[in-house]
Amino acid sequence: MTLLAVERIKLFSTKSPWWCTFLALAMTIGFAMLFATQSDGGISVPMTQVGYQFGLMVVLVLAALSITTEYRFGTIRATFQAVPNRTTALLAKTVVVAVVALIIGEVAAFGSWGVAKLLAPSSNLAFATADDWRHVAGVGLVFAISAVLAVAVGALLRQTAGAVALLLLWPLLVESLVGLIPKVGGDVRKWMPFNAADHFISGTAGVGEMPFGPWGALAYFAAVAVAVWVIALIIVRRRDA
């Protein structure tokens, strides 16, 4: 618990996490607000989360910065000196960042739903099914898993510019371009991690691009994140800080 508290203090000792939190909430909720004001009262629950990817991009940056800034300023050496067990140190940082991302995601998701309900009162935005809850509450889960992945990428690359560029370009560009590959592009894109995350938020069981249902897509996304994190842990334990 002490190590978790230390990581929390380190995370919020700079301005960047506060700005990232503000931007993630503002962009996600703001996009839902804009969408609701332009609607004709026909918004459904899934439509309230059309802006979640904007917030996700900011959370990826926040999570990457949590580890790359330590390498940039050399504080990672002090961390590993204080906690010789690097597995424990990296795990504590990952847990703290993932919890913060989870909270941001839930606030952004329910905030988006709330402003849509306020601005489009004639729309049917009641949580009538389990899928409706998944469309909204599931955003926090995607944010948390994405944070784990971003911490791993940051630990592997150690440089902010490289880590942020990879984390932003991969879901925004690479996964889309993969789908354009002749013959095999569509099949390969099904297994792209952020495509799986998007399927969990917007898809329904048995429908969509993924070869399995929404919860299977989330499990696959989590498996990819954990696999990358384990690789990052192995590299962190073997190389110099």
Side-chain angles (χ1 to χ4, degrees):
M1 294 300 294
T2 301
L3 188 54
L4 293 175
V6 170
E7 290 297 335
R8 175 182 56 80
I9 293 171
K10 285 198 298 183
L11 179 64
F12 289 103
S13 61
T14 61
K15 293 181 180 180
S16 56
W18 296 102
W19 278 108
C20 287
T21 299
F22 171 76
L23 287 175
L25 295 176
M27 293 177 70
T28 306
I29 298 175
F31 198 90
M33 183 182 302
L34 179 64
F35 188 78
T37 57
Q38 300 299 317
S39 71
D40 56 356
I43 298 179
S44 62
V45 172
M47 292 180 183
T48 64
Q49 305 306 313
V50 292
Y52 92 93
Q53 290 182 331
F54 295 99
L56 177 60
M57 297 301 105
V58 180
V59 167
L60 289 172
V61 173
L62 184 157
L65 286 173
S66 71
I67 182 75
T68 58
T69 51
E70 287 218 55
Y71 280 105
R72 178 185 177 186
F73 294 107
T75 57
I76 194 69
R77 297 187 184 93
T79 297
F80 289 155
Q81 287 176 352
V83 186
N85 188 334
R86 296 187 178 187
T87 301
T88 303
L90 186 60
L91 181 60
K93 181 181 293 294
T94 305
V95 169
V96 169
V97 175
V99 170
V100 170
L102 174 66
I103 294 172
I104 293 174
E106 295 301 337
V107 173
F110 282 96
S112 298
W113 173 82
V115 297
K117 189 173 182 63
L118 180 65
L119 297 176
S122 59
S123 298
N124 181 17
L125 295 178
F127 291 101
T129 66
D131 284 338
D132 289 336
W133 282 101
R134 173 173 51 80
H135 292 311
V136 180
V139 172
L141 296 177
V142 170
F143 276 29
I145 296 171
S146 299
V148 173
L149 180 60
V151 169
V153 171
L156 284 169
L157 300 184
R158 299 200 290 187
Q159 294 183 346
T160 300
V164 170
L166 177 60
L167 289 167
L168 295 185
L169 290 177
W170 185 273
L172 294 176
L173 184 62
V174 174
E175 292 196 0
S176 297
L177 292 178
V178 165
L180 300 179
I181 299 175
K183 297 183 180 180
V184 300
D187 292 332
V188 173
R189 189 174 185 274
K190 293 178 182 179
W191 298 98
M192 293 291 99
F194 287 97
N195 179 63
D198 185 62
H199 180 69
F200 170 70
I201 297 296
S202 59
T204 55
V207 180
E209 296 183 354
M210 298 299 295
F212 31 68
W215 288 101
L218 181 69
Y220 173 73
F221 182 48
V224 171
V226 171
V228 176
W229 189 89
V230 170
I231 293 172
L233 175 62
I234 294 172
I235 299 300
V236 166
R237 294 184 61 178
R238 290 184 175 181
R239 70 186 176 194
D240 295 335

